[in-house]
Each structure stands twice: as structure tokens, then as C-alpha cells.
Amino acid sequence: MMFVWPISVYYEDTDAGGVVYHSNYLKFFERARTQWLKAMGVSQAELLTEDIAFVVKHAALDFCKAAKFEQDLVVESKVIELKKVSLVFHQRLVDHQGDCYCEATVVVACISLSRMRPRAIPLNIVQEFDSAR
């Protein structure tokens, strides 16, 4: 299963030439992952009160085409690997014709925030992502 989240490119996302600044693609992908959790009924604020956080451990991006100011695009996200303490996402920023602007493989780890150490992903989240694969 793929989660799709719309993204509009705002002026603040671009450089002086109206092209999306490279680091902002990471923000687009982060927003989509956050919205996916929210759509599953998972509150990250609640997780934080339980000493649980998700952090990016690794990200590899391929910039395919320049996204520009005022474009309406979508982030496609899917889990390609689910482990005890981490998830591997494949994410793509595409237009409505399917042209890819950027794609990424992002490894997200679950940690105990107070100890800054890996911990098991909560079972309810594992089940949600597992059923989405």
C-alpha cells in the first residue's frame, strides 16, 4: 500500500531562482511520513509523553527534476522494510502526470527519547504498517 500526501511548493521552499532548495525535499518527505502516522490514528505528541520518538537514521536522495514555485505535487510513500526498531521508506515526489522530481530511501528508527537508544516500535504501529504493505 502507498500513502499519498499533497504538497504545494511555497515561496519559502525555493531559492532565488524559484527552484525548490535541495534540503526542502527532506521536509516534504518528513511531512508525508508524519501525516501517514496521523492518518493511522497515531499521535506523535502522545508518543513523546511515552518516551517514544522516531528519528531519521539514514536518507539517500536522488534529485531527478527541479520542482518549482507554485507547483502542486504529491509525495508517495511506502514501507519497503519493517524491522523491530526501524522502518525503511521509499518516497517519491511526483507531479500529477507521474513525473518524478525526487526520490528517497529513508531509514527511520524508533528510540527511547530519554535514553537516546533504540527501542521496539510499538505493536499497534507495527500492525498498521504491516497491514499497509
Side-chain angles (χ1 to χ4, degrees):
M1 181 181 138
M2 185 178 307
F3 181 78
V4 177
W5 185 254
I7 294 287
S8 294
V9 177
Y10 298 116
Y11 185 75
E12 67 184 22
D13 299 321
T14 64
D15 61 16
V19 174
V20 171
Y21 188 69
H22 69 278
S23 66
N24 287 330
Y25 291 95
L26 286 167
K27 292 179 182 182
F28 297 157
F29 294 146
E30 177 75 27
R31 290 177 197 158
R33 292 191 309 274
T34 297
Q35 290 301 322
W36 194 355
L37 282 173
K38 205 172 180 182
M40 293 187 315
V42 175
S43 164
Q44 288 192 59
E46 189 175 306
L47 289 176
L48 291 174
T49 66
E50 298 170 15
D51 196 38
I52 300 168
F54 288 98
V55 296
V56 173
K57 181 181 182 304
H58 175 80
L61 282 77
D62 185 14
F63 301 98
C64 307
K65 187 176 179 179
K68 297 182 181 170
F69 178 51
E70 292 192 333
Q71 273 190 289
D72 291 319
L73 304 166
V74 294
V75 176
E76 300 173 342
S77 304
K78 63 182 174 178
V79 174
I80 57 173
E81 193 173 342
L82 179 59
K83 295 183 178 179
K84 183 178 178 178
V85 299
S86 66
L87 299 140
V88 181
F89 291 89
H90 181 255
Q91 295 183 275
R92 293 175 8 113
L93 181 68
V94 299
D95 62 20
H96 295 287
Q97 290 74 42
D99 291 334
C100 183
Y101 289 77
C102 184
E103 65 181 317
T105 301
V106 182
V107 179
V108 176
C110 186
I111 64 166
S112 162
L113 194 56
S114 63
R115 297 181 322 127
M116 294 302 286
R117 301 290 304 156
R119 59 147 294 154
I121 299 169
L123 186 58
N124 65 315
I125 297 174
V126 169
Q127 291 170 338
E128 287 286 343
F129 278 122
D130 205 30
S131 68
R133 292 189 322 146

